[in-house]
Amino acid sequence: MINAKALATRALDEDVAHGDLTTSATIPLGVHGQGAVLAKEALVVAGQPLAAAIFAEVCARYGGEVRYTERIADGGAVAEQTVIADVEGDLHCIIVGERVALKLLMKCCGIATNTRRYVDAATETGPAVVDTRKTTPGLRAVEKYAVRCGGGKNHRFALYDGVMIKDNHVAAVGSLTEAVRRARAVAHHLVRVEVEVRTLEELDEALNTPADVVLLDNMDDETLAEAVYRARERRPSVLLEASGNMTPGRIAAIRDLGLDFVSAGGLIHQAVWADLSLKVKPTPRLGL
Amino acid sequence: MINAKALATRALDEDVAHGDLTTSATIPLGVHGQGAVLAKEALVVAGQPLAAAIFAEVCARYGGEVRYTERIADGGAVAEQTVIADVEGDLHCIIVGERVALKLLMKCCGIATNTRRYVDAATETGPAVVDTRKTTPGLRAVEKYAVRCGGGKNHRFALYDGVMIKDNHVAAVGSLTEAVRRARAVAHHLVRVEVEVRTLEELDEALNTPADVVLLDNMDDETLAEAVYRARERRPSVLLEASGNMTPGRIAAIRDLGLDFVSAGGLIHQAVWADLSLKVKPTPRLGL
Amino acid sequence: MINAKALATRALDEDVAHGDLTTSATIPLGVHGQGAVLAKEALVVAGQPLAAAIFAEVCARYGGEVRYTERIADGGAVAEQTVIADVEGDLHCIIVGERVALKLLMKCCGIATNTRRYVDAATETGPAVVDTRKTTPGLRAVEKYAVRCGGGKNHRFALYDGVMIKDNHVAAVGSLTEAVRRARAVAHHLVRVEVEVRTLEELDEALNTPADVVLLDNMDDETLAEAVYRARERRPSVLLEASGNMTPGRIAAIRDLGLDFVSAGGLIHQAVWADLSLKVKPTPRLGL
Amino acid sequence: MINAKALATRALDEDVAHGDLTTSATIPLGVHGQGAVLAKEALVVAGQPLAAAIFAEVCARYGGEVRYTERIADGGAVAEQTVIADVEGDLHCIIVGERVALKLLMKCCGIATNTRRYVDAATETGPAVVDTRKTTPGLRAVEKYAVRCGGGKNHRFALYDGVMIKDNHVAAVGSLTEAVRRARAVAHHLVRVEVEVRTLEELDEALNTPADVVLLDNMDDETLAEAVYRARERRPSVLLEASGNMTPGRIAAIRDLGLDFVSAGGLIHQAVWADLSLKVKPTPRLGL
Amino acid sequence: MINAKALATRALDEDVAHGDLTTSATIPLGVHGQGAVLAKEALVVAGQPLAAAIFAEVCARYGGEVRYTERIADGGAVAEQTVIADVEGDLHCIIVGERVALKLLMKCCGIATNTRRYVDAATETGPAVVDTRKTTPGLRAVEKYAVRCGGGKNHRFALYDGVMIKDNHVAAVGSLTEAVRRARAVAHHLVRVEVEVRTLEELDEALNTPADVVLLDNMDDETLAEAVYRARERRPSVLLEASGNMTPGRIAAIRDLGLDFVSAGGLIHQAVWADLSLKVKPTPRLGL
Amino acid sequence: MINAKALATRALDEDVAHGDLTTSATIPLGVHGQGAVLAKEALVVAGQPLAAAIFAEVCARYGGEVRYTERIADGGAVAEQTVIADVEGDLHCIIVGERVALKLLMKCCGIATNTRRYVDAATETGPAVVDTRKTTPGLRAVEKYAVRCGGGKNHRFALYDGVMIKDNHVAAVGSLTEAVRRARAVAHHLVRVEVEVRTLEELDEALNTPADVVLLDNMDDETLAEAVYRARERRPSVLLEASGNMTPGRIAAIRDLGLDFVSAGGLIHQAVWADLSLKVKPTPRLGL
């Protein structure tokens, strides 16, 4: 569901543009090579369709042919020193695209691996772990895909496919109740309305509105427990989401409170790139 | 030197598209508001022209007017709880753009702050700290700008404005010497040729070529010291760059070896978002 | 919430491209003119921000200045022969943009006027009248805006901001119940799940699922009445939408059944352009 | 001559963007299906290359393969309940593209069917029926193609490929004669100059200019007859076009007056979507 | 009628992209400068709106302000060492845009100056001198504008706004007469049909068709004279155009034969860049 | 290294847009044809991948298939009346693309042929002949490719991949020495710094800076000889480039002075289009 070709075009326009000076000078088109994508640390695999699209776009520009063959599908967890894919074909094209392809893999695997830690902390019986809109501009679809590879779920994609009433909206409208009323009146009937609360008093107010989801933001464990209790008492069907610097440790601590969702921007923005390499070498061409 | 308007267009197409459901429903155009960008931790400021461009683009689309006024210029280091900028104008537009603007600030400040730690480790007399091509696809100009805000320097921008011969090129050509020869013969005379070496033997070979810069990759401290010594003996004018999991600690350890540059992808890809907030509230409009 | 500038760019590239041969030859830039947008039939006004954007874009290309001043705001109903707006400024620019601006007004007013008839048939106490995805490719945001001007409400915008399980999906999955289950498991928690049913048997099945909304498709009046009754008995909170060649007459007939929504593609695709004109004449420039 | 790929891209970006929530959740890639495009009313077929392009673009994005096979070529007239095409291939891709493909068919068939009524009214010996610039912004090439499928002819495509002097131009220049003179002096020698007249007096003036074509606008039958007579007397080679709320009935009434062309915006803007359906079902994959 | 902003965007993306290394390093924003565009040889001025658009776009990107003030309007002929315009404003922006602006001026003045020689050879009473489709890809509107500045006229803009039947078409169809018939039947009634002939026999055939214009291609003077004579005898209203390596000398030789048009690709493709310079210097800022 | 597909798209949008009126009317898709690209004068071949891309893009739009087969590779020198390539396939597509493809060949061959004259004048032992930034906006990559086909070398591509300090920069900064210092401090370490000098005094100053390359601009032969002598004495490793109205004759005169490079904008901007033709005819389809 990611427009991988558009991403590849943009990424290669940025990195290659009118030419890879080094590779053009040193490696002619027509030399055959092969290599392997190696996980240099334990990680959850993600982003391989993007890597494949990078090589496809390089080939579309320069005329070679490159085959990206997955050994481990996206979503799989691998140990250090595992080869996750083979890359074979025109050596020139492999080397031109190598860094961009690898970066996308490193970014995606980093997010997926990071997400997996949060998901493991929640366990199967705890709340679903979801992402937020704190994504890198221009790469949201990529990063949200990586979250799914890591076992997380996505929250709304953007401002246009879900209503989320935050403190800024409440402050502007003057009351949480009125903000929910306005939103429900205007939003189409296939989106739900979520409202953020920070105190039990705000929660009480929210439970009197037709909000479908309540976001319990930045509450300590005790308040959170009380909030879940109150909500379940008064509006059994309301969905409850908790947020606020959620780490795997915090998630483990609150996983049995009865929350439906825990959202964490950190799935994406606290992830660092996973360590992978792509080493290639010229080979006698065997068939192809 | 960043096309901030193009970035703003792309980012808002992604996050707002055909409408911010929540803000459209709750806050009409025409309400005046003001707020402040607050550093919630100590950080180096970066990315403010991008934030300003976001609000400008939102206003161009919906008709309001928003003023982003810097209190601290990009590049400045601030303490926790410092207000770095004021935002004032149409409340609807501020809230629609808030998250995107803030994300760019968080990313840029994160990189600048991270970079500053590396630069401080190098001290004024040590090697210059430079970035690499390990940047986020589509955001290279942004991330390299943030590195400069943090006091770092940029390496080549992309594959097209510098020659860098790596192990993959050498393997394909068959010899480092020949790879340098080919590159120098083809590349235009305003780019330099850099060659990566991993051993002293490779260094010896590189020093016999017309390469302008040698990248000493993944050497231990001792080998690095020997490499600098040999190079200075035989080719005093050659530029020397070291790389390979460079952290502030490692940089501090090798800063007096006589290297010209230390390059670290981690300036960018190991940076996590800095913590900033933008709180706004409706205000009686005063003048504007 | 429509990117009017992008629409204007596309529309003028199509109609003007490298030049309006006639106007270029006959009317130099710099002549001042004024005119009026006249409703030649009774209609509901819509689309004026688009018309204004057309003239703005023409001026951005050729250097003049044109002022589009609404007399009647979008959403207002006017009698035949009402002037709804004044257009004043560079005559060359007005005439180059006239047809494109007028077409957008004719299209939008046509949809708004048509929608109003459906909405009036539903009355205030009847179901809300909503549109569908049966819009003109490339103009969905425009057409949905016109529906709102006519007093209608929008359904989901596209395939990405709401779940709607149709017969094709059920046929592919093998069971309505399973289709709902899959959709609810995957879709993010701020979208609702709607399921289309055509018979009372299907309705019975749907009511046993966690679907939030049921679309009663192509049922006759009697069946519709029974469907509403059953649903309200068993799932009071379920939202009920009816569809299938809904005309104002049909809506009037079923408005008291207790439905929440009636959806009609005909709001948009059965609308014909409203009749408006824009006559301009050169004038002595008065101030500006 | 329509850039069908560009249209498909735009239409799918609008309707699918980052994902069809329902189909993604319910129908995996790899299931084979087949279906038929059914005309639910008598109509003239048009738009099939566009429908095929939609499925091709969906497949290019998600990896499946869909075959659109015409049974009736564009331009053919069919009875109610005729299958005009078969669609077979990846079920996921068929269902994602179904609505957009169908909408284009409904729009094009609607225009072609509507046009055919005008053309039939003109008969073979009457004037040619041509369209106008009153097309939907962004879809002119599509709509003009549908007119041709219906047996109509196209007028100029846009402001840049023909000179048409209207009342607004004459009013600005001060005289019809001078407007024609200026246009002829500037326009290149492969475009003709057409001038719009509303009265016999204006016609007399037009016949004294080098205008190649005269548009007789909004004249009653009697005046129209007199106009044709005068023009043929004085300028046998001049081309004569009539316009002004031309309906099939009106065209039938004036078809023997000797006009060369009758132009009617209503071919396109008074057309309503034709009624077609596309039902698909999963099938055991047979070869492919 | 040139989209100068789009051209400026493209040209600066090509030449500046992520930064002018030299100017960024040496001249800060905020220094005021002024300079003059100097014609270093006698020439016809053309292209100034494009030069102005370049500076405007640079300023839009970097924040400065530059004023381009014409001393000589496009179309004027100037002697060697004439200052044709003043440029004043932010020195950084002037220098970044200088080369691109100057190149456009050099190209346009070169074409205009070259065109003027052809036009002068034709004299006022001879045939009109027109260009062809032999333009630089991507710059047709620019080059055709420069032709008009030089006193030439434009032929059709492209393949879509005029019918021109050439030898390749005739060869494919099998007969010139049939090719004309087909073209006239299909092309809309505001474009004329031109047919290329190379011999008197072909001319005879062409005169029996409804072609509006005959292109006499590559005939010697004598044949050309005979061709004009025959055509005027048999079809006084037909338009006659001659082509085939037309130089000013050749045009002078045939100017009294009675041709309507002489077309020459050489107006554009044989033109070389005119010699202009733009020298700037920092100045004390006076007002602005 | 040219994005030929993007160029083809742009060129065909400009020339064909919504249709080639003539070819659409006269030659149906499905007729097979063949032709040959003929050099009508002695020339150096260049641009064939672009011509092939044009035909490929036409086919992608209209459905045919065309094969462009080189007989002479780019860079080869051919005599008058040599066939350099065969074109075979769908006749409609060949004729639609013919002019655009031919124009690119004519432009590229013109530049390559012109460049070869300069390169021959320099001989193998003289300075390398390089181009400049005086290229046609939007076509720089094409023109620089043609220079390489002609045996020339490229200078920096644009403002972003090399530092070149010119008189305007020196004037703004106040001193050549300071301008070099600033540039070296800011530019990344893989670009060199070049400085332009016009007198021996300026040369003396330049030799005291860390500039890597000195451009000796507009010096007479004697001064040039002295400049080379001084530079070699004082900075043996400095690279020396001469420029200023360099013609083949001038290059021959100075080729033994010891210069490294001679740069000439005239390689590109003084080149005129080479004379080539593409004649096609319908053929019985033989296989394909």
Side-chain angles (χ1 to χ4, degrees), chain E residues 48 51 65 73 82 96 98 127 137 139 147 177 195 211 217 250 257 280:
Chain E
Q48 295 186 102
E65 195 177 347
T82 306
V96 168
E98 172 245 344
L139 292 179
V147 164
T177 300
V195 61
D217 191 39
R250 181 79 202 286
L257 292 185
V280 286

Side-chain angles (χ1 to χ4, degrees), chain B residues 24-272:
Chain B
S24 297
T26 53
I27 309 174
L29 276 165
V31 178
H32 190 253
Q34 65 180 36
V37 179
L38 178 72
K40 297 171 71 175
E41 60 181 348
L43 51 77
V44 176
V45 181
Q48 295 187 101
L50 305 175
I54 293 295
F55 292 117
E57 177 66 18
V58 173
C59 291
R61 294 183 181 195
Y62 305 126
E65 195 177 349
V66 171
R67 207 152 34 194
Y68 183 99
T69 311
E70 303 182 1
R71 290 197 192 179
I72 311 290
D74 275 13
V78 300
E80 190 181 348
Q81 297 301 325
T82 306
V83 172
I84 66 168
D86 298 291
V87 181
E88 186 206 5
D90 189 276
L91 186 59
H92 179 97
C93 293
I94 294 175
I95 291 181
V96 168
E98 173 245 345
R99 174 55 50 200
V100 176
L102 205 51
K103 283 196 304 187
L104 285 165
L105 288 172
M106 291 168 87
K107 183 173 197 32
C108 289
C109 293
I111 292 171
T113 305
N114 189 44
T115 297
R116 186 64 55 92
R117 293 167 49 238
Y118 288 67
V119 171
D120 287 347
T123 73
E124 295 237 335
T125 59
V129 174
V130 302
D131 53 28
T132 71
R133 279 172 51 241
K134 291 180 184 167
T135 57
T136 309
L139 292 179
R140 182 171 286 168
V142 169
E143 294 177 336
K144 286 190 165 248
Y145 168 75
V147 164
R148 295 198 299 274
C149 291
K153 293 196 61 174
N154 297 142
H155 206 303
R156 63 172 175 169
F157 190 84
L159 294 172
Y160 55 76
D161 66 339
V163 172
M164 168 76 87
I165 296 168
K166 300 196 169 185
D167 53 351
N168 278 336
H169 299 103
V170 172
V173 172
S175 118
L176 183 154
T177 301
E178 173 62 9
V180 172
R181 193 197 62 75
R182 288 191 196 175
R184 186 65 277 168
V186 170
H188 67 74
H189 60 286
L190 287 198
V191 290
R192 287 178 175 150
V193 172
E194 177 163 11
V195 61
E196 179 188 276
V197 302
R198 310 197 167 197
T199 62
L200 295 172
E201 291 66 39
E202 287 179 358
L203 172 64
D204 288 341
E205 182 174 357
L207 293 174
N208 282 329
T209 70
D212 305 286
V213 190
V214 177
L215 174 60
L216 307 165
D217 191 39
N218 271 319
M219 294 179 172
D220 59 28
D221 292 10
E222 198 174 349
T223 312
L224 213 46
E226 169 65 15
V228 175
Y229 178 80
R230 282 196 199 186
R232 295 290 178 232
E233 281 292 299
R234 290 179 44 200
R235 289 264 308 279
S237 71
V238 79
L239 294 171
L240 295 174
E241 175 184 341
S243 72
N245 293 316
M246 287 292 165
T247 57
R250 181 80 201 286
I251 290 173
I254 63 174
R255 74 181 162 211
D256 298 325
L257 293 184
L259 291 159
D260 297 296
F261 304 97
V262 173
S263 57
L267 299 184
I268 290 168
H269 70 68
Q270 298 296 322
V272 290

Side-chain angles (χ1 to χ4, degrees), chain A residues 182-244:
Chain A
R182 287 191 196 175
R184 188 64 277 170
V186 169
H188 68 73
H189 61 285
L190 286 198
V191 291
R192 287 177 176 152
V193 172
E194 177 163 9
V195 61
E196 179 188 276
V197 302
R198 312 196 166 197
T199 63
L200 294 172
E201 290 66 39
E202 286 179 358
L203 172 65
D204 289 340
E205 182 174 358
L207 292 173
N208 282 329
T209 71
D212 305 286
V213 191
V214 176
L215 174 60
L216 306 165
D217 191 40
N218 270 319
M219 293 179 173
D220 60 29
D221 291 10
E222 197 174 349
T223 312
L224 213 45
E226 168 66 15
V228 175
Y229 178 81
R230 281 195 200 186
R232 294 292 178 229
E233 281 292 298
R234 290 180 42 201
R235 288 263 309 277
S237 70
V238 78
L239 294 171
L240 296 174
E241 174 184 342
S243 73

Side-chain angles (χ1 to χ4, degrees), chain E residues 207-230:
Chain E
L207 292 173
N208 282 329
T209 70
D212 305 286
V213 190
V214 176
L215 174 60
L216 307 165
D217 191 39
N218 272 319
M219 293 179 172
D220 61 28
D221 291 10
E222 198 173 349
T223 312
L224 213 45
E226 169 64 16
V228 174
Y229 178 80
R230 283 196 199 186

Side-chain angles (χ1 to χ4, degrees), chain D residues 1-3 141 157 160-161, chain F residues 18-20 24 61-62 92:
Chain D
M1 286 306 185
I2 302 171
N3 195 334
F157 190 83
Y160 55 76
D161 66 339
Chain F
H18 58 85
D20 174 346
S24 297
R61 295 184 180 195
Y62 304 126
H92 180 96

Side-chain angles (χ1 to χ4, degrees), chain D residues 139-162:
Chain D
L139 292 178
R140 182 169 287 169
V142 170
E143 294 177 335
K144 284 187 166 253
Y145 168 75
V147 164
R148 295 197 301 274
C149 291
K153 295 196 60 175
N154 296 144
H155 206 303
R156 64 173 173 169
F157 190 83
L159 293 172
Y160 55 76
D161 66 339

Side-chain angles (χ1 to χ4, degrees), chain B residues 13 16-20 24 57 61-62 92 96, chain C residues 1-5 141 148 156-158 160-161:
Chain B
D13 284 351
V16 184
H18 59 84
D20 174 346
S24 297
E57 177 66 18
R61 294 183 181 195
Y62 305 126
H92 179 97
V96 168
Chain C
M1 286 304 184
I2 303 170
N3 194 333
K5 182 164 174 35
R148 294 198 300 275
R156 64 173 174 169
F157 190 83
Y160 54 76
D161 65 340

Side-chain angles (χ1 to χ4, degrees), chain C residues 17-20 24 61-62 92, chain E residues 1-3 141 157-158 160-161:
Chain C
H18 60 84
D20 173 346
S24 298
R61 294 183 181 196
Y62 304 125
H92 180 96
Chain E
M1 285 307 184
I2 303 170
N3 194 334
F157 190 84
Y160 55 74
D161 66 339

